[in-house]
Coordinates of all heavy atoms in Angstrom, one line a residue:
L127 N 10.7 43.3 21.3 CA 11.8 42.6 21.9 C 12.5 43.5 22.9 O 13.2 43.0 23.9 CB 12.8 42.1 20.9 CG 12.4 41.0 19.9 CD1 13.4 40.6 18.8 CD2 12.0 39.7 20.8
A128 N 12.5 44.8 22.6 CA 13.2 45.8 23.6 C 12.1 46.4 24.6 O 12.5 47.3 25.3 CB 13.8 46.9 22.7
G129 N 10.9 45.9 24.5 CA 9.9 46.4 25.5 C 9.1 47.5 25.2 O 8.4 48.2 25.9
F130 N 9.1 47.9 23.9 CA 8.4 49.1 23.3 C 7.0 48.6 22.8 O 6.9 47.4 22.4 CB 9.2 49.8 22.2 CG 10.3 50.6 22.6 CD1 11.6 50.0 22.4 CD2 10.2 51.8 23.1 CE1 12.7 50.7 22.7 CE2 11.3 52.5 23.4 CZ 12.6 52.0 23.2
E131 N 6.1 49.6 22.7 CA 4.8 49.4 22.0 C 4.7 50.5 21.0 O 5.3 51.6 21.1 CB 3.6 49.5 23.0 CG 3.6 48.4 24.1 CD 2.4 48.7 25.0 OE1 1.7 49.7 24.9 OE2 2.2 47.8 25.9
L132 N 4.1 50.1 19.8 CA 4.0 51.1 18.7 C 2.9 52.1 19.1 O 1.8 51.7 19.4 CB 3.6 50.4 17.5 CG 3.4 51.4 16.2 CD1 4.6 52.1 15.8 CD2 2.7 50.6 15.0
E133 N 3.3 53.4 19.2 CA 2.3 54.4 19.6 C 1.6 55.0 18.5 O 0.4 55.2 18.4 CB 3.0 55.5 20.4 CG 2.0 56.6 21.0 CD 2.8 57.6 21.8 OE1 3.6 58.4 21.2 OE2 2.5 57.6 23.0
S134 N 2.3 55.3 17.3 CA 1.8 55.8 16.1 C 2.7 55.6 14.9 O 3.9 55.4 15.1 CB 1.6 57.4 16.3 OG 2.8 58.0 16.4
R135 N 2.2 55.6 13.7 CA 2.9 55.6 12.5 C 2.3 56.4 11.5 O 1.1 56.2 11.2 CB 3.0 54.1 12.0 CG 3.7 53.9 10.6 CD 4.1 52.5 10.3 NE 5.2 52.0 11.1 CZ 5.1 50.9 11.7 NH1 4.2 50.0 11.6 NH2 6.2 50.4 12.4
H136 N 3.0 57.2 10.8 CA 2.6 58.1 9.8 C 3.5 58.1 8.6 O 4.7 57.6 8.8 CB 2.4 59.6 10.3 CG 1.4 59.7 11.3 ND1 1.6 59.7 12.7 CD2 0.1 60.0 11.2 CE1 0.5 59.8 13.4 NE2 -0.5 60.0 12.5
A137 N 3.1 58.5 7.5 CA 3.9 58.5 6.3 C 5.0 59.6 6.3 O 6.0 59.5 5.6 CB 3.0 58.6 5.1
D138 N 4.8 60.7 7.2 CA 5.7 61.7 7.2 C 5.7 62.4 8.5 O 4.7 62.0 9.4 CB 5.6 62.7 6.0 CG 6.8 63.4 5.6 OD1 7.8 63.5 6.4 OD2 6.9 63.7 4.4
W139 N 6.5 63.4 8.7 CA 6.4 64.2 10.1 C 5.2 65.1 10.1 O 4.9 65.5 11.2 CB 7.7 65.0 10.2 CG 9.0 64.2 10.1 CD1 9.8 64.0 9.1 CD2 9.5 63.6 11.3 NE1 10.9 63.2 9.5 CE2 10.7 63.0 10.9 CE3 9.2 63.6 12.6 CZ2 11.6 62.3 11.8 CZ3 10.0 62.9 13.5 CH2 11.2 62.3 13.1
D140 N 4.5 65.2 9.1 CA 3.2 66.1 9.1 C 2.0 65.4 9.4 O 0.8 65.9 9.2 CB 3.1 66.9 7.8 CG 3.0 65.9 6.6 OD1 2.9 64.7 6.8 OD2 2.9 66.3 5.5
F141 N 2.0 64.2 9.9 CA 0.9 63.3 10.4 C 0.1 62.7 9.1 O -1.0 62.4 9.4 CB -0.1 64.1 11.3 CG 0.6 64.4 12.6 CD1 1.1 65.7 12.8 CD2 0.6 63.5 13.8 CE1 1.7 66.1 14.0 CE2 1.2 63.9 14.9 CZ 1.8 65.2 15.1
S142 N 0.7 62.8 8.0 CA 0.0 62.2 6.8 C -0.2 60.6 7.0 O 0.7 60.0 7.7 CB 0.7 62.5 5.5 OG 2.1 62.2 5.6
E143 N -1.3 60.2 6.5 CA -1.6 58.8 6.7 C -0.6 57.9 6.0 O -0.2 58.0 4.9 CB -3.0 58.5 6.1 CG -3.5 57.1 6.3 CD -4.8 56.7 5.7 OE1 -5.4 57.7 5.0 OE2 -5.3 55.7 5.9
F144 N -0.3 56.8 6.8 CA 0.6 55.8 6.3 C -0.3 54.7 5.5 O -1.3 54.2 6.1 CB 1.4 55.1 7.4 CG 2.3 54.0 7.0 CD1 3.5 54.3 6.3 CD2 2.0 52.6 7.1 CE1 4.3 53.3 5.8 CE2 2.8 51.7 6.7 CZ 3.9 52.0 6.1
T145 N 0.0 54.4 4.3 CA -0.8 53.5 3.5 C 0.1 52.5 2.8 O 1.4 52.6 2.9 CB -1.5 54.3 2.4 OG1 -0.7 54.8 1.4 CG2 -2.4 55.5 3.0
A146 N -0.5 51.6 2.1 CA 0.3 50.7 1.3 C 1.2 51.3 0.3 O 2.1 50.7 -0.3 CB -0.6 49.6 0.6
E147 N 0.9 52.6 -0.2 CA 1.7 53.2 -1.2 C 2.8 54.2 -0.6 O 3.4 54.8 -1.4 CB 0.7 54.0 -2.1 CG -0.4 53.2 -2.6 CD 0.1 52.1 -3.5 OE1 1.1 52.3 -4.3 OE2 -0.5 51.0 -3.4
S148 N 2.8 54.3 0.7 CA 3.7 55.1 1.4 C 5.1 54.7 1.1 O 5.5 53.6 1.1 CB 3.5 55.3 2.9 OG 2.2 55.9 3.0
R149 N 6.1 55.6 0.8 CA 7.5 55.3 0.5 C 8.3 55.4 1.8 O 9.5 55.0 1.7 CB 8.0 56.1 -0.6 CG 7.4 56.0 -2.0 CD 7.9 56.8 -3.1 NE 9.3 56.6 -3.3 CZ 10.1 57.2 -4.1 NH1 9.7 58.2 -4.8 NH2 11.3 56.8 -4.2
S150 N 7.8 55.9 2.8 CA 8.6 56.1 4.1 C 7.6 56.2 5.2 O 6.4 56.2 5.0 CB 9.4 57.3 4.1 OG 8.6 58.5 4.0

């Protein structure tokens, strides 16, 4: 809605993989 596109998503700042079990 604000004109952005998702570039990346990780589970933490260390580039760990975001999964269904990720808490953040």
Side-chain angles (χ1 to χ4, degrees):
L127 292 173
F130 289 101
E131 296 179 352
L132 179 65
E133 183 175 70
S134 67
R135 172 169 290 135
H136 295 91
D138 210 335
W139 296 97
D140 59 3
F141 296 96
S142 53
E143 182 183 4
F144 180 74
T145 71
E147 304 304 317
S148 298
R149 295 183 59 182
S150 63

